[in-house]
Amino acid sequence: MDSSFSQLLKDLRTQKGWSMAQLGENAELSDAYISLLESNKRQPSHKAALKLSQILADSEDQVIQLMTAAGYPNLEPSQQSLVSEASFSDFTQQVLSQVRQGNYLVAEQLISEGLKKFQDTVQIQMLVAHLELARQHSHLAIIAMQAALVARESYPNSQVDFIDLYLNMGICHFMQASQLSQKNKAEQALESYQQAVEFFERVLGKEPEHVYCLDEYARCLYNLAHLEQESWKKVVSVYKKIISVRADLSEQVKKEVLCFATLATTRAGKPALAETLFAQILFTTFDAFTLHAYLCHCCYAYEQSKQQKWLNQAHKELAVFAETFPDQMERLKSDSELAVLF
């Protein structure tokens, strides 16, 4: 591996303002592995180099530059793709994962490659919807998905299953609801969350163990419960279903499922049980995300009981967070769920 890769990797990471842990989280790699790469002590695999390039690069030229420095030259951009072996359903999940992480340029690049591979009329219309999501135009994404549903009715031989259409329509409404919530448009957000739930329930009515849909459904119910429009016990039950399915989820998704399930347990009035569960989670996965979730748990428990022990525990762990992840303290301060700590 060319030593320039390690420096280029560090420079691009720093330009984005990310810590090694944040880059590792986005790329589903450990921060220790990122450290080895940046110190030029480890050769990245082709898959790892490609993931890092697509997450960090702001242009195709930068992707090629990073891949060449990593020791993978002479590859055409069309070959440097996560698309080549993916089914359409898997591909759309890859795109949505990048959108959720805020890697909008990467998502657009993937969609551009997808348009070269997937030629089905309905697939193309769905990719247009995903392109609008990558541009943060959720209302236009919903219109494009509605057109995809109409197209599917007209093309019975399409390779796209209605389940994928309903799932993606639900995700479009979910993302629209999230954007509306950020703009403090609670009433409109609530309507979008409920529309998302309707589409997710259509999918689960046909495939009760569709784990990707279960995950989206649980997240949506979590937000509705936060708005006092859903039962926290129901949220917990859906997360338990995800855990019981034991599908081949990424480590990042598994972590998020466990943390949100445990937070829902706290909100359902069982903080002692949640405390035990968090002890297990933090024992195996100690990072900024899980510790942030644990701090939320302590604040929720304090709000419910007004027992000082929860607030004391939160302040204790806040000091640990500040020492271990100082570059992410601003994120904590901006979280309204932790306002009692600041």
Side-chain angles (χ1 to χ4, degrees):
M1 177 178 66
D2 188 337
S3 62
S4 63
F5 174 81
S6 57
Q7 187 60 50
L8 188 55
L9 180 65
K10 183 177 181 180
D11 290 345
L12 291 174
R13 173 180 64 77
T14 304
Q15 286 172 20
K16 286 190 176 291
W18 290 348
S19 65
M20 290 185 189
Q22 285 174 301
L23 174 57
E25 185 175 315
N26 288 336
E28 297 182 355
L29 301 168
S30 71
D31 52 348
Y33 182 69
I34 300 296
S35 177
L36 289 171
L37 292 178
E38 290 195 1
S39 60
N40 202 35
K41 294 178 180 177
R42 181 67 65 87
Q43 166 76 32
S45 66
H46 176 268
K47 184 176 180 180
L50 183 55
K51 268 193 170 185
L52 291 166
S53 297
Q54 291 185 314
I55 288 169
L56 289 170
D58 291 325
S59 66
E60 272 197 1
D61 287 343
Q62 277 191 343
V63 171
I64 296 170
Q65 184 182 5
L66 269 165
M67 292 299 291
T68 301
Y72 301 103
N74 305 320
L75 291 174
E76 294 298 322
S78 60
Q79 292 176 294
Q80 299 173 343
S81 172
L82 296 174
V83 180
S84 57
E85 297 179 1
S87 68
F88 184 72
S89 181
D90 289 340
F91 171 70
T92 56
Q93 289 183 31
Q94 289 176 7
V95 172
L96 289 169
S97 175
Q98 296 298 334
V99 172
R100 286 200 183 283
Q101 294 172 34
N103 300 322
Y104 302 117
L105 180 61
V106 175
E108 287 197 40
Q109 290 172 340
L110 282 171
I111 292 166
S112 176
E113 294 171 3
L115 286 167
K116 298 173 185 176
K117 175 181 179 181
F118 302 108
Q119 299 299 314
D120 183 299
T121 300
V122 182
Q123 289 175 337
I124 292 171
Q125 191 62 53
M126 287 180 69
L127 290 176
V128 171
H130 285 76
L131 183 60
E132 296 297 351
L133 284 180
R135 292 172 177 172
Q136 302 178 71
H137 300 153
S138 56
H139 63 294
L140 294 178
I142 290 171
I143 293 172
M145 278 303 305
Q146 288 170 337
L149 277 166
V150 172
R152 180 63 180 82
E153 296 283 357
S154 303
Y155 294 93
N157 295 325
S158 170
Q159 299 175 37
V160 179
D161 194 290
F162 274 105
I163 284 179
D164 281 336
L165 284 162
Y166 295 150
L167 173 60
N168 281 271
M169 180 63 93
I171 291 169
C172 289
H173 280 291
F174 189 2
M175 290 191 174
Q176 181 181 58
S178 298
Q179 291 174 5
L180 289 168
S181 292
Q182 291 170 4
K183 296 176 181 178
N184 296 316
K185 297 181 179 181
E187 189 173 332
Q188 293 168 277
L190 177 60
E191 183 179 349
S192 290
Y193 280 131
Q194 291 170 337
Q195 288 176 320
V197 163
E198 289 179 13
F199 281 105
F200 295 147
E201 288 180 345
R202 284 194 199 184
V203 175
L204 296 172
K206 295 179 179 294
E207 290 190 21
E209 295 192 349
H210 192 305
V211 71
Y212 186 68
C213 184
L214 280 169
D215 181 43
E216 296 289 340
Y217 183 51
R219 291 170 188 263
C220 199
L221 291 179
Y222 189 101
N223 286 332
L224 279 171
H226 189 70
L227 295 172
E228 299 183 350
Q229 297 293 325
E230 192 54 80
S231 161
W232 284 109
K233 289 183 179 179
K234 183 175 180 179
V235 178
V236 172
S237 70
V238 177
Y239 273 116
K240 284 183 177 179
K241 178 71 172 178
I242 297 171
I243 295 168
S244 70
V245 171
R246 298 184 180 278
D248 185 22
L249 299 171
S250 71
E251 291 304 313
Q252 176 67 17
V253 172
K254 287 179 183 177
K255 177 177 68 177
E256 291 176 2
V257 165
L258 289 173
C259 285
F260 281 117
T262 307
L263 285 173
T265 300
T266 307
R267 301 295 288 269
K270 296 182 179 179
L273 173 58
E275 179 75 9
T276 301
L277 294 172
F278 261 122
Q280 297 171 355
I281 296 170
L282 287 164
F283 181 77
T284 57
T285 309
F286 182 82
D287 60 14
F289 180 88
T290 52
L291 191 52
H292 186 163
Y294 179 70
L295 288 169
C296 289
H297 150 72
C298 291
C299 290
Y300 297 155
Y302 173 71
E303 289 171 3
Q304 289 174 354
S305 66
K306 299 304 179 184
Q307 293 181 17
Q308 189 64 31
K309 68 174 184 178
W310 292 113
L311 200 55
N312 292 341
Q313 181 66 14
H315 279 294
K316 176 183 174 183
E317 295 302 326
L318 180 62
V320 174
F321 192 104
E323 182 178 353
T324 312
F325 310 107
D327 56 327
Q328 299 198 44
M329 281 299 294
E330 289 304 314
R331 180 183 297 183
L332 291 194
K333 292 177 182 178
S334 65
D335 186 346
S336 60
E337 304 295 293
L338 302 178
V340 68
L341 295 179
F342 299 100

